[in-house]
Amino acid sequence: MTITTERRTADKQTFPDLLAVADRVAERLRQTAAERDRANATPRAEIELLRDNDLLQVQEPVEYGGSGLDFAQASQITRRIARGDTSIAHLLGYHYAQTRVATLFGTPAQAEAQSRRNAAEKLFWGGIQNPRGSSGLVLTRDGDGFLLNGSRTFASGASTGDQLSVTALLDGSQVFLSLDTRGGRQGFTFLDDWDNIGQRLTDSGGVRVVDARIAHHEVLGAEPFTGGTLSPYQTLITPHWQLAFVNFYIGTAEGALTEALNWTRDRATPWESSGVDRATDDPYILQTVGELVSQVRAAALLADRAGDALQAAVDIGPDLTGDQRADAAIAVYEAKYLATEVGLQTASRLFEIQGARATTTAYGFDRHWRNLRTHTLHDPVSYKAREVGDWVLNRRRPEFSLYR
């Protein structure tokens, strides 16, 4: 039995209340987003804002002190936060996915203990698990525990996490680690070398690990840790991460569009040959707004459908079949494709609505495109379209990896 099968869920009012909280937090973040983006500082205050507003433990059972939301609902909170700050939504979306790793890969006792701690202590989760270069961290047996060595070029929320979800190779097979890092962790060095054009507040960058001691109970699952075959249920971990991406892409587009519309109402001027007195009556501006709003709303509906599909698969539990897993994953990947295309187009075309003056650096409107362009390169969206096509046309399931 896993903790997902015995839990009190949120009452009908809890979810709307938490969405309202997320909206208020997003507005606070939006007000300083451009300034904080330029500063490129570690987002400790922003994480505390999420913690203070009880947004970190929303998925844990009510009886443990959480809110009892499912992952599809939590993903909508990620979307709301992205309207104010894509970087912080990135951290929150990863956090929500990483808190599910113990449920999928751990023993029932590990999953329950972790869930109780998440709720009671409002833990924030970072991760060292970029699938590319997964062999970069190697776990070796040492007495009754393990030693972890190696490096990764990319991690998110790693130096600010209270708890880290880490992937490593043990005897040539991938395992998941759950590490308490409050107060520091001997052997871990966070390189603080993230200076990219977007997602600048995600506490990302390289990590080096030298002879870090890992206790036996920090490896998820039971002995033997290697040699088995992952079940379709366990491989739902990838759609969890991908759904987080979908929602902070869409939330970014929604927030960027709202900012652009407000700016246009207050400051934009019509083109000289438009024949109108106000920019808000310019026919080409109206056309562009109509196109973008329609596309963003369509992408949001597809994301909601994907969330429902993934949650239905999670609710089946360990009896999930390979085809059921594929159906859920493909629903998420359809949404990933559209969210990527629509998000990038929206963030780019905002200036067609606002006009040239909106490119002034102080406004920081370019951050929306920079954030989306940076993260959407995480995995090429053309491969997601191919996976959708292969399933629809040939009924070939996506072969599992931490990208598929």
Side-chain angles (χ1 to χ4, degrees), residues 27 39 72-73 147 157 170 177 228-229 237 243 256 258 275 285-286 364 366 368 398 402 404:
E27 178 56 24
Q73 292 171 319
L147 291 177
L170 173 63
L177 314 179
T229 302
I237 186 59
L243 186 64
T258 296
I285 289 178
L286 294 176
D366 62 308
H368 302 301
L402 292 182
R404 304 174 69 190

Side-chain angles (χ1 to χ4, degrees), residues 65 71 98 108 141 144 156 162 215-216 240 268 278 346 355 369 375:
F71 187 75
Q98 284 154 182
R141 298 181 185 274
D144 59 357
S156 285
D162 306 308
H216 192 276
H240 275 77
R278 300 185 309 167
T346 300
W369 181 86
H375 197 279

Side-chain angles (χ1 to χ4, degrees), residues 268-286:
T269 57
W271 188 243
E272 61 181 29
S273 58
S274 65
V276 298
D277 295 327
R278 300 185 309 167
T280 53
D281 292 325
D282 187 303
Y284 296 108
I285 289 178
L286 294 176

Side-chain angles (χ1 to χ4, degrees), residues 55-200:
L55 293 178
L56 296 181
Q57 73 273 27
V58 298
Q59 295 179 97
E60 308 310 333
V62 174
E63 57 267 34
Y64 296 170
S67 302
L69 301 192
D70 60 32
F71 187 75
Q73 292 171 319
S75 295
Q76 291 197 39
I77 293 177
T78 299
R79 191 191 307 174
R80 299 296 182 100
I81 296 299
R83 294 173 184 175
D85 191 319
T86 312
S87 289
I88 306 309
H90 167 150
L91 288 172
L92 186 62
Y94 278 43
H95 161 84
Y96 287 151
Q98 284 154 182
T99 61
R100 301 304 92 192
V101 171
T103 303
L104 295 173
F105 293 94
T107 65
Q110 285 175 321
E112 180 178 0
Q114 192 63 72
S115 183
R116 288 183 180 275
R117 289 186 59 233
N118 289 341
E121 302 172 38
K122 302 181 183 180
L123 299 179
F124 170 68
W125 283 67
I128 307 175
Q129 52 204 8
N130 190 336
R132 301 191 74 184
S134 60
S135 60
L137 290 179
V138 177
L139 199 65
T140 55
R141 298 181 185 274
D142 183 65
D144 59 357
F146 303 86
L147 291 177
L148 184 65
N149 283 277
S151 62
R152 289 278 173 79
T153 59
F154 177 83
S156 285
S159 73
T160 49
D162 306 308
Q163 194 85 13
L164 288 183
S165 178
V166 181
T167 53
L169 291 184
L170 173 63
D171 300 331
S173 295
Q174 185 171 263
V175 293
F176 281 87
L177 314 179
S178 178
L179 309 180
D180 187 337
T181 55
R182 290 173 297 178
R185 186 93 186 199
Q186 187 172 2
F188 283 76
T189 301
F190 302 104
L191 303 182
D192 192 26
D193 55 359
W194 181 254
D195 189 22
N196 291 40
I197 64 170
Q199 297 301 83
R200 291 170 61 79

Side-chain angles (χ1 to χ4, degrees), residues 345-366:
Q345 183 176 157
T346 300
S348 175
R349 296 190 67 195
L350 295 177
F351 299 104
E352 297 175 27
I353 301 170
Q354 297 167 291
R357 285 186 299 140
T359 64
T360 301
T361 301
Y363 298 129
F365 292 131
D366 62 308

